[in-house]
């Protein structure tokens, strides 16, 4: 295609123009109602949104603090108490190894707890706020 010219349109084996692919007749955007944009400032000040933030913080901040203390405790013990961390519990398994694996277990446990908490306390409120702000069902 010299000098930016357009390629020729696709053709069928018989020489005629190829049909346009419509992907199951989904070739046009879905019609949307022309609604004004949500008032984000009003939403941020609403009691429902403030309650949502408070519920999220009630879970996230304490759980983060607990996990950071647990993690930093592990690191400090590993750095300053190697004799404690090397105490054998059984076979070749020592305290340091059990605490290290415990970090992974704790992460999985916190994730599972958050998913359960979010499904009961956070997600329904987010859906309600979305409906109220947009007048639509979330996708």
């Amino acid at each position: 295609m010299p000098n930016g010219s357009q390629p020729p349109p696709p053709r069928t084996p018989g020489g005629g123009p190829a049909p346009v692919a419509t992907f199951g007749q989904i070739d046009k955007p879905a019609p949307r109602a022309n609604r004004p944009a949500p008032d984000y400032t009003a939403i941020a000040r609403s009691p429902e949104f403030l309650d949502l933030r408070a519920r999220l913080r009630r879970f996230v901040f304490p759980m983060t603090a607990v996990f950071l203390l647990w993690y930093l405790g592990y690191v400090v013990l590993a750095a300053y108490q190697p004799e404690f961390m090397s105490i054998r519990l059984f076979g070749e398994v020592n305290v340091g190894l059990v605490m290290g694996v415990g970090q992974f277990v704790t992460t999985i446990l916190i994730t599972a707890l958050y998913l359960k908490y979010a499904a009961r306390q956070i997600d329904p409120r987010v859906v309600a706020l979305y409906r109220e702000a947009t007048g639509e069902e979330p996708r």
Side-chain angles (χ1 to χ4, degrees):
M1 289 181 278
N3 300 329
S5 63
Q6 295 293 324
R11 298 273 178 200
T12 62
V20 176
T22 61
F23 302 104
Q25 305 302 320
I26 305 176
D27 57 343
K28 298 178 187 96
R32 288 193 170 261
N34 290 331
R35 292 188 178 97
D39 183 357
Y40 295 110
T41 304
I43 293 169
R45 292 181 182 152
S46 71
E48 296 85 6
F49 184 76
L50 296 174
D51 177 61
L52 174 66
R53 286 182 51 182
R55 287 176 186 273
L56 185 62
R57 287 179 178 162
R58 275 194 295 264
F59 182 89
V60 171
F61 289 155
M63 201 58 70
T64 300
V66 166
F67 185 78
L68 284 176
L69 287 172
W70 162 229
Y71 176 74
L72 291 174
Y74 172 73
V75 171
V76 167
L77 285 172
Y80 295 105
Q81 294 294 320
E83 56 280 342
F84 170 73
M85 297 294 269
S86 64
I87 294 173
R88 289 180 190 247
L89 299 174
F90 55 91
E92 297 295 318
V93 178
N94 61 23
V95 172
L97 182 60
V98 170
M99 288 181 72
V101 170
Q103 296 289 316
F104 292 102
V105 172
T106 306
T107 301
I108 292 167
L109 179 65
I110 289 172
T111 302
L113 288 172
Y114 175 74
L115 289 172
K116 187 175 180 179
Y117 181 81
R120 284 183 295 137
Q121 300 292 328
I122 305 300
D123 296 345
R125 287 169 176 79
V126 169
V127 168
L129 280 170
Y130 183 86
R131 272 192 213 118
E132 186 178 319
T134 64
E136 299 176 355
E137 287 296 314
R139 295 180 195 174

